[in-house]
Amino acid sequence: AQSVTQLGSHVSVSEGALVLLRCNYSSSVPPYLFWYVQYPNQGLQLLLKYTTGATLVKGINGFEAEFKKSETSFHLTKPSAHMSDAAEYFCAVSETGTASKLTFGTGTRLQVTL
Amino acid sequence: EAGVAQSPRYKIIEKRQSVAFWCNPISGHATLYWYQQILGQGPKLLIQFQNNGVVDDSQLPKDRFSAERLKGVDSTLKIQPAKLEDSAVYLCASSLDGWQYFGPGTRLTVT
């Protein structure tokens, strides 16, 4: 069985500050890992994904995440927050070889202040 | 390329009433998913279709929820009768190459 834990349901940063959203996973097999963003009243948009290969993954809008097997983590970062980054962010895991059967975390709401 | 379309976007019903949601996936996407997203939680898979066949419906409350994808394209999700705890956003997603693309969702409020 797979599971995802997102530490911190709400994160607030100042515009221009580092964004760090934490995600830890549990999986009995090598996982595929995903970060999705959800803006108000919209569906989920894929930010980035890790399948195999390079452990540092770059996504859209300047976000990146690093897969750390030893720490079972896949934290999302962005060097400089922008007001438009305010949204809900979801980490998800699926079994190797498929992006089906996604298991989502409970989400982290990112607030960006002036 | 048009995205995943869903309707209606919002629906308010009273408990014990029935409701139906519609999803039109991205053209050519064989796999279609329905998720339930309760406020404050991540999306939870209800049912997965491959063309018009069900792949996984293990988390679908079959006593009140039903879904179909008769021609392997559009899909409908029905709840009958609705309960208060069904209040949620119902998301549809489709995929061709394994990566899921989500629609905007239908927000259901049961009073």
Side-chain angles (χ1 to χ4, degrees):
Chain A
Q2 306 158 112
S3 66
V4 173
T5 301
Q6 291 185 241
L7 296 175
S9 59
H10 290 84
V11 171
S12 182
V13 301
S14 300
E15 190 174 36
L18 171 71
V19 175
L20 171 60
L21 304 183
R22 300 179 185 273
C23 172
N24 288 89
Y25 70 90
S26 172
S27 178
S28 57
V29 297
Y32 282 5
L33 293 160
F34 307 81
W35 276 100
Y36 283 86
V37 60
Q38 187 175 35
Y39 297 101
N41 299 315
Q42 296 187 26
L44 279 72
Q45 179 183 3
L46 182 63
L47 268 180
L48 49 79
K49 60 183 181 285
Y50 168 79
T51 54
T52 58
T55 57
L56 182 62
V57 180
K58 295 185 184 299
I60 62 173
N61 301 338
F63 284 93
E64 61 183 36
E66 186 171 11
F67 170 60
K68 292 187 177 181
K69 183 178 179 180
S70 62
E71 298 177 9
T72 61
S73 69
F74 191 58
H75 302 330
L76 182 70
T77 60
K78 182 175 180 177
S80 177
H82 191 273
M83 295 296 289
S84 60
D85 294 327
E88 186 101 24
Y89 292 80
F90 292 93
C91 182
V93 62
S94 72
E95 295 180 352
T96 300
T98 176
S100 295
K101 301 188 186 300
L102 291 175
T103 299
F104 285 88
T106 53
T108 297
R109 182 166 298 278
L110 176 65
Q111 180 182 15
V112 182
T113 59
L114 289 172
Chain B
E1 173 180 85
V4 176
Q6 291 187 246
S7 68
R9 291 296 312 277
Y10 305 91
K11 189 74 176 179
I12 301 174
I13 61 172
E14 296 181 351
K15 59 183 179 184
R16 291 186 289 274
Q17 287 186 323
S18 63
V19 65
F21 313 126
W22 174 81
C23 173
N24 182 237
I26 294 173
S27 178
H29 283 198
T31 310
L32 185 146
Y33 310 81
W34 282 102
Y35 289 86
Q36 180 192 57
Q37 185 179 14
I38 294 174
L39 186 65
Q41 299 181 21
K44 182 186 79 171
L45 179 68
L46 291 175
I47 189 167
Q48 176 185 350
F49 290 94
Q50 181 72 21
N51 296 309
N52 60 351
V54 175
V55 174
D56 182 357
D57 63 355
S58 57
Q59 297 195 82
L60 187 73
K62 299 180 185 62
D63 58 333
R64 297 184 301 107
F65 286 65
S66 64
E68 60 182 14
R69 193 183 184 201
L70 292 176
K71 297 182 178 179
V73 182
D74 294 5
S75 177
T76 56
L77 176 69
K78 297 179 181 178
I79 307 175
Q80 182 179 14
K83 293 184 176 182
L84 295 176
E85 58 261 36
D86 298 332
S87 293
V89 175
Y90 291 85
L91 294 166
C92 178
S94 69
S95 72
L96 173 65
D97 52 5
W99 313 123
Q100 297 186 33
Y101 299 85
F102 285 80
T106 296
R107 182 177 298 277
L108 173 67
T109 302
V110 182
T111 63

